[in-house]
Amino acid sequence: MFNLSEIKRIMVFGAHPDDEIIGLGGTIHNLASQKKEINVVTFTDGGTAANSEQEIGLMIKTRKIEMEKTNKILGITNRELLQIPSQQVYATVYGNLKLTNQYKVSNEKEVSLHHTLIFLIRKYRPQILFTHSPDNHRDHCGISDVTPQAVFQASESILKHLGDPWQTPILLHYSIEKELEKNYTPNFIIEISKNNLLAKTKAMATQISQTREEYLKRYDEMLNSRAQLWGSKTFGAGKYAEP
């Protein structure tokens, strides 16, 4: 076991601009309120939320603004945006798609996702890293698969140009809609306060680019219900939690 109060640096991997809100927004707000450093890595640019190809550029700008609002509400210290085209995370994990070398980790114009993640882990030196659980979204599955590999190799004395080795001692996989799957049993539940939950739902309400019918209303109800379910089930009546 470990004590979250002793952890000072947290890293979160999220496929899409709102994943960290849905999965552990309350926990992020809780830890940030304790003056912890919260570093979020967002893999995609969110462009596919647009209704047409012509609107993709505007949608990406809109979602960046939404991310900035989320940072302030939840207390996120830094956010790294990898700018992978939406729906292409799978190709960066299992295929040949590379990223623009925005961090100058080598002399190449493009770099692999794996090396980029090693660089960021070594840069921020997290004491705990939250990443996706596998589910029915292949972007989530790809990140769930690649994270332990990046964490392991970031700790090895290799690839010196990507920074000094860093061992991340704790890796946890958060849920997006995992509770909807049969036999879902999380093995770690983090209690959050009512104030943390309010910050989480407030951050979710900034995601106005999500124009799909009833999207924000559905998630508002789901986030509240889930927090009450895991809180009361684990800690007692009137409690809130995230799995």
Side-chain angles (χ1 to χ4, degrees):
M1 296 300 293
F2 58 89
N3 188 344
L4 278 173
S5 66
E6 297 175 353
I7 291 172
K8 297 180 180 180
R9 297 184 305 279
I10 294 94
M11 178 170 269
V12 181
F13 285 175
H16 311 101
D18 54 4
D19 283 339
E20 79 281 353
I21 305 173
I22 298 169
L24 67 156
T27 298
I28 290 174
H29 186 262
N30 180 26
L31 295 173
S33 67
Q34 300 173 44
K35 308 303 181 184
K36 313 292 188 183
E37 180 181 301
I38 313 290
N39 302 298
V40 173
V41 179
T42 301
F43 283 60
T44 68
D45 54 26
T48 53
N51 292 320
S52 67
E53 290 186 9
Q54 291 75 21
E55 297 176 3
I56 289 178
L58 178 60
M59 178 58 68
I60 292 171
K61 292 180 181 179
T62 299
R63 302 209 74 178
K64 286 181 179 179
I65 293 171
E66 293 171 352
M67 282 184 267
E68 291 172 2
K69 291 179 179 178
T70 297
N71 293 347
K72 292 179 181 179
I73 293 170
L74 296 184
I76 294 169
T77 313
N78 303 291
R79 185 187 293 265
E80 301 284 357
L81 183 57
L82 301 187
Q83 302 183 75
I84 300 171
S86 293
Q87 310 297 328
Q88 293 297 315
V89 171
Y90 204 81
T92 66
V93 174
Y94 303 109
N96 297 319
L97 183 65
K98 291 190 175 182
L99 310 183
T100 301
N101 190 4
Q102 59 179 306
Y103 303 109
K104 310 300 180 185
V105 300
S106 69
N107 294 324
E108 303 295 326
K109 291 184 178 180
E110 296 182 321
V111 66
S112 70
L113 173 64
H114 185 60
H115 282 187
T116 299
L117 296 182
I118 291 172
F119 171 81
L120 291 173
I121 291 168
R122 289 176 174 178
K123 175 182 177 180
Y124 288 110
R125 303 168 75 83
Q127 294 165 295
I128 184 169
L129 195 157
F130 295 90
T131 192
H132 281 281
S133 297
D135 55 30
N136 60 357
H137 198 303
R138 68 178 190 170
D139 283 354
H140 301 169
C141 293
I143 293 171
S144 179
D145 282 350
V146 77
T147 303
Q149 301 165 19
V151 166
F152 170 68
Q153 292 215 301
S155 71
E156 291 192 297
S157 296
I158 59 172
L159 303 170
K160 295 292 187 180
H161 64 288
L162 300 180
D164 295 330
W166 174 256
Q167 174 66 56
T168 303
I170 305 165
L171 175 61
L172 297 178
H173 296 255
Y174 64 84
S175 163
I176 297 297
E177 292 187 350
K178 196 75 173 175
E179 292 92 328
L180 301 178
E181 298 182 13
K182 185 178 180 181
N183 299 325
Y184 172 63
T185 306
N187 56 16
F188 196 80
I189 313 295
I190 298 177
E191 185 176 4
I192 62 174
S193 69
K194 178 66 173 179
N195 189 45
N196 299 147
L197 177 58
L198 288 173
K200 176 174 183 167
T201 55
K202 183 179 179 181
M204 195 64 200
T206 68
Q207 307 298 296
I208 58 174
S209 61
Q210 300 293 344
T211 56
R212 285 170 286 175
E213 184 178 2
E214 301 267 329
Y215 181 88
L216 290 180
K217 181 180 179 181
R218 177 170 71 89
Y219 265 97
D220 183 74
E221 292 178 352
M222 189 189 81
L223 298 183
N224 278 280
S225 299
R226 180 169 72 170
Q228 292 177 51
L229 168 67
W230 292 109
S232 61
K233 182 177 180 179
T234 310
F235 301 105
K239 301 293 185 178
Y240 305 93
E242 293 174 325

